[in-house]
Amino acid sequence: MTKNIILKVKKFVDGDGLIAEDYLTKREFEIRLYGIDAPEMNYCNKIKKDEKELHLPAALLIKLGYMSFEFLKSNISIGDKCTLVQEKNNLQDKYKRSLGYLILNDGRVLNEIMIKEGYAKPYNDVFCEMLPMYQEWNLEAKINLKGLYSIVNKF
């Protein structure tokens, strides 16, 4: 891991993304939490794809997306100062969102909290250094019926 950026949280996007402001440059940008995937909150192409693959209705997936979103907001607030840690070879996704691990004021990593508590699953399509751990923690959350796994066995 290489690049660290001190941020202020400006706005929430969904269960795996937010808008933040760089403390030094005052530049606002979107962050996609690295290595995790939360259900969508709107009816979109990804919901249609997930609906087919998971055999779950879109309305339920969207409800799960909102639950993930609310859980994320319960761990960090607008105006909070945090640190974005990025892997040098994976700074942005295909949508030009900044990728990274979000370190909270108390030292916990938001990405890890989302996985360990069952409100996000590992995002396996892009490798990150923490992916093997995220896969392990996700399995533990699933076995223990934590978070969204208390409602469904996959999302």
Side-chain angles (χ1 to χ4, degrees):
M1 292 191 233
T2 132
K3 200 172 166 193
N4 291 9
I5 305 169
I6 307 299
L7 306 169
K8 180 160 76 173
V9 177
K10 298 294 276 189
K11 184 180 164 192
F12 298 108
V13 176
D14 55 22
D16 53 30
L18 48 89
I19 308 285
E21 177 186 273
D22 183 317
Y23 253 93
L24 294 175
T25 66
K26 301 296 182 213
R27 183 179 69 91
E28 273 189 33
F29 57 98
E30 187 170 348
I31 296 168
R32 171 82 161 64
L33 296 178
Y34 209 44
I36 74 168
D37 188 28
E40 298 299 319
M41 292 173 24
N42 303 303
Y43 194 75
C44 58
N45 286 334
K46 185 167 185 306
I47 281 279
K48 289 183 220 172
K49 182 176 161 265
D50 290 346
E51 207 175 14
K52 281 187 187 125
E53 284 178 16
L54 301 167
H55 307 288
L56 294 172
L60 175 58
L61 290 167
I62 290 169
K63 179 184 175 195
L64 296 173
Y66 274 94
M67 290 172 69
S68 179
F69 182 59
E70 291 303 320
F71 182 77
L72 178 124
K73 293 192 306 183
S74 74
N75 281 280
I76 191 168
S77 302
I78 301 293
D80 280 3
K81 189 175 174 182
C82 52
T83 305
L84 182 70
V85 176
Q86 295 185 289
E87 294 178 6
K88 73 176 168 210
N89 296 324
N90 294 305
L91 298 175
Q92 289 188 325
D93 68 5
K94 63 184 175 185
Y95 304 108
K96 302 287 182 220
R97 297 177 296 192
S98 294
L99 296 169
Y101 304 100
L102 205 63
I103 316 298
L104 305 178
N105 280 332
D106 62 10
R108 295 178 308 146
V109 181
L110 187 57
N111 314 48
E112 291 178 15
I113 296 166
M114 296 299 291
I115 291 276
K116 286 180 175 178
E117 297 303 321
Y119 287 93
K121 64 183 179 185
Y123 184 65
N124 297 310
D125 293 357
V126 178
F127 183 78
C128 69
E129 292 173 16
M130 290 301 295
L131 189 59
M133 284 306 303
Y134 288 176
Q135 290 165 334
E136 194 176 306
W137 292 333
N138 180 61
L139 187 58
E140 288 173 21
K142 190 174 184 175
I143 289 167
N144 294 310
L145 303 178
K146 289 182 126 185
L148 304 181
Y149 291 118
S150 67
I151 300 166
V152 294
N153 66 354
K154 58 188 173 185
F155 58 87

